Amino acid sequence: MLFAINFGMPFGVRLSERFGARPVCLATMAVIVVSVFVSGFMDSFGGLIFFYGILFGFASGIIYMIPVTCSWRYFPHWKGATCGIIIGCFGFGTLIFNYVALAIVNPDNETASVLSEGTKYFTPDIYNRVPKMFKILSGCYLALGTLGSLLVAYPKGNNS
C-alpha cells in the first residue's frame, strides 16, 4: 500500500493544477470509497490486495498532497507548519480509525486462540466481521471525505 501511496502523490498535484483541487479531491474520494466498499466483498486475497492495497493506496496518494499544496499557496511563509499540521491530522485520523476498526471487528478484544499447525488464529466470529468493517469504514470515508473535499480550494489569482 505504501508503494501505491507514494506512486500516486505526484499525480494528485498535476491533476489538481489542471482540473482544480476540489473536483480532483471529490473524484479521488469516490475511488477511495468504492475501493474500500468493494474490499468488503472480496473473497480472494488477490482481489483484496488490488482493491485495498493498490487502488485505495494509489487514490490516497493522489489526495494526500492536494491539501498540502493548497496550504502552501495560502501560507507561503508557513509551509513547514501547515505541512506538519496536515500530516499530523492524517496520522491522527489513522489512529482514530484503527480503534473504530477494532471496535467493529473485535469489540471484546479477544486474542487469537485457534491453534493450527503451530499458529494461532482468531475465531470465525471475529474474522467474519471484517467485510462489515470495510463497508462501515467506506461510509465514514464518504461522509468525512466529501466534507473535506468541499473545503479544499486553491486561492484565487496566481499564488504559485
Side-chain angles (χ1 to χ4, degrees):
M1 181 188 284
L2 287 176
F3 178 77
I5 289 172
N6 289 323
F7 188 74
M9 282 183 181
F11 293 103
V13 175
R14 288 188 190 112
L15 288 169
S16 68
E17 288 176 351
R18 182 167 184 188
F19 300 108
R22 188 171 296 138
V24 173
C25 283
L26 287 169
T28 306
M29 277 312 304
V31 172
I32 287 172
V33 168
V34 168
S35 67
V36 173
F37 188 75
V38 170
S39 295
F41 294 98
M42 288 296 108
D43 57 358
S44 71
F45 188 64
L48 185 64
I49 291 292
F50 175 75
F51 282 102
Y52 195 73
I54 297 172
L55 192 59
F56 174 67
F58 183 72
S60 296
I62 289 174
I63 208 167
Y64 185 79
M65 286 304 292
I66 296 172
V68 172
T69 58
C70 285
S71 72
W72 289 347
R73 291 182 185 185
Y74 277 104
F75 305 103
H77 301 294
W78 293 90
K79 289 181 177 180
T82 58
C83 187
I85 291 168
I86 291 168
I87 291 171
C89 290
F90 190 80
F92 186 70
T94 303
L95 174 75
I96 296 298
F97 279 104
N98 281 342
Y99 286 107
V100 170
L102 178 65
I104 296 167
V105 174
N106 192 358
D108 299 325
N109 201 21
E110 297 176 29
T111 59
S113 60
V114 177
L115 190 61
S116 175
E117 298 178 17
T119 304
K120 289 186 177 181
Y121 295 96
F122 287 99
T123 58
D125 61 324
I126 292 176
Y127 65 75
N128 285 332
R129 293 186 195 122
V130 172
K132 177 183 175 184
M133 176 203 64
F134 281 123
K135 295 168 191 168
I136 291 172
L137 288 179
S138 69
C140 293
Y141 297 160
L142 176 65
L144 295 172
T146 302
L147 177 64
S149 296
L150 292 174
L151 297 173
V152 173
Y154 286 123
K156 298 203 184 313
N158 189 5
N159 269 354
S160 302

